[in-house]
Amino acid sequence: MDNYTLLEKGVTTPGPIAIEIADVEHTHDLSLGEGEFSHVWNIASRVPLMLAWIWVNLLVEDIANQRLGGSVVEDAINKPWRPLPSGRISPEQARDWLLVAIAATMGLSILSGGYTASITLMVFVWMYNDLDGSNSGIWIRNALNAGGLMCFSWGALATLSGGELLPEGFTWILVTGAIIMTTVHAQDLPDIEGDMARGRQTVPLLYGEAAARISLAIMVSFWSVACPFFWDASPWGWAASTSIGGAMSVLALKNMGQRWDEVVWKLWCLWVAALYLLPALKR
């Protein structure tokens, strides 16, 4: 009986063929481990670049959002500590910084692989602020918010991967857009007075606070379960999503005043961050 037949039957032979096969298997396992390590290291090494991409794009969005007259009026009521309503910089200075920030963002995006996402984000920022899309109706506003935040997901993933996204990544970006579209009115709860002063249509002002709070709690609860299920998340992923989402939903329903509504909004930001981490918390 030859060595091939013995190996096929599961019999170990001490001959040269068995040793050679063992060496090949060992080499294969080693190379696979090295490949996995290289892949993980490649992604990890791009995390600072991803964070830089997010920061510069967020800087552009923030300046563009806060520099216009209507935003200054609103922030004077809701967020008087911001640079423009507090008088630390003028609208003209904000415009100059915006030009610098856009140039820096485009340069970094070209280098990082997130250029297309940045360009698309700039379009949404322009529509939301300069074309006054934020005051063009609640659902247009929410759609622009969702589109902008989808660009952040897109750009962050593209930067991490060097510009290439798998189909699952695009599906997840669409899911995050739906999450934003259906829950972003959490930001409107603490800003009701400022939004009234500006004449902005928001979910609480258009449909009433009760409807806004109930719908927020329902949709947050739904996504808190659906997203971990989508990624087949580990217990840690499930715990993060459901605990933060549950706390936010309860506080939103309790309606304990503006101070606690600010907490609801901060919890929403933390909750979204936890959802964004779910791909890294798969089983």
Side-chain angles (χ1 to χ4, degrees):
M1 186 177 290
D2 57 23
N3 280 312
Y4 174 77
T5 306
L6 287 170
L7 289 170
E8 191 179 45
K9 290 179 176 292
V11 179
T12 303
T13 63
I17 294 179
I19 295 172
E20 183 178 346
I21 291 174
D23 287 341
V24 169
E25 289 177 348
H26 176 73
T27 303
H28 174 72
D29 290 341
L30 182 61
S31 63
L32 181 62
E34 289 175 349
E36 289 176 346
F37 176 80
S38 176
H39 177 67
V40 171
W41 171 250
N42 182 53
I43 292 177
S45 65
R46 295 182 67 87
V47 168
L49 188 62
M50 178 198 71
L51 295 175
W53 184 92
I54 292 173
W55 189 85
V56 294
N57 279 274
L58 187 60
L59 179 64
V60 169
E61 184 183 28
D62 284 347
I63 298 175
N65 177 257
Q66 296 177 30
R67 73 181 184 87
L68 299 176
S71 297
V72 176
V73 170
E74 179 185 351
D75 287 343
I77 298 172
N78 292 333
K79 302 174 179 70
W81 60 85
R82 283 182 167 176
L84 281 139
S86 65
R88 283 179 284 163
I89 63 172
S90 67
E92 291 75 20
Q93 289 173 316
R95 179 202 59 207
D96 294 341
W97 278 111
L98 179 59
L99 293 173
V100 173
I102 289 173
T105 299
M106 291 298 97
L108 181 62
S109 296
I110 291 171
L111 294 174
S112 67
Y115 180 75
T116 306
S118 282
I119 290 293
T120 308
L121 175 62
M122 299 298 172
V123 172
F124 281 117
V125 169
W126 173 65
M127 293 170 67
Y128 187 91
N129 297 295
D130 297 86
L131 296 186
D132 205 25
S134 61
N135 290 317
S136 298
I138 180 60
W139 297 113
I140 293 177
R141 178 174 178 243
N142 279 11
L144 292 174
N145 272 318
L149 288 173
M150 285 168 67
C151 288
F152 276 102
S153 300
W154 175 13
L157 289 173
T159 302
L160 274 181
S161 64
E164 298 179 3
L165 287 183
L166 297 174
E168 190 177 41
F170 280 110
T171 302
W172 177 238
I173 290 171
L174 293 175
V175 170
T176 60
I179 293 169
I180 304 305
M181 184 77 175
T182 54
T183 65
V184 74
H185 57 282
Q187 70 177 331
D188 299 328
L189 295 177
D191 290 347
I192 291 176
E193 290 185 12
D195 289 333
M196 288 179 64
R198 187 173 179 174
R200 172 180 285 164
Q201 290 185 334
T202 64
V203 171
L205 293 177
L206 196 60
Y207 300 107
E209 268 196 73
R213 293 177 186 279
I214 292 171
S215 63
L216 177 64
I218 290 172
M219 295 312 302
V220 166
S221 299
F222 170 75
W223 291 118
S224 293
V225 173
C227 291
F229 182 80
F230 176 87
W231 284 110
D232 189 23
S234 68
W236 289 107
W238 278 95
S241 173
T242 55
S243 62
I244 300 171
M248 175 176 34
S249 298
V250 169
L251 287 177
L253 291 173
K254 279 185 172 293
N255 189 8
M256 296 188 293
Q258 184 183 20
R259 178 170 170 269
W260 283 101
D261 285 339
E262 290 282 359
V263 175
V264 170
W265 171 235
K266 288 179 172 61
L267 283 174
W268 183 89
C269 297
L270 181 62
W271 175 70
V272 170
L275 296 184
Y276 280 6
L277 286 174
L278 288 177
L281 297 174
K282 294 176 66 174
R283 290 181 186 274

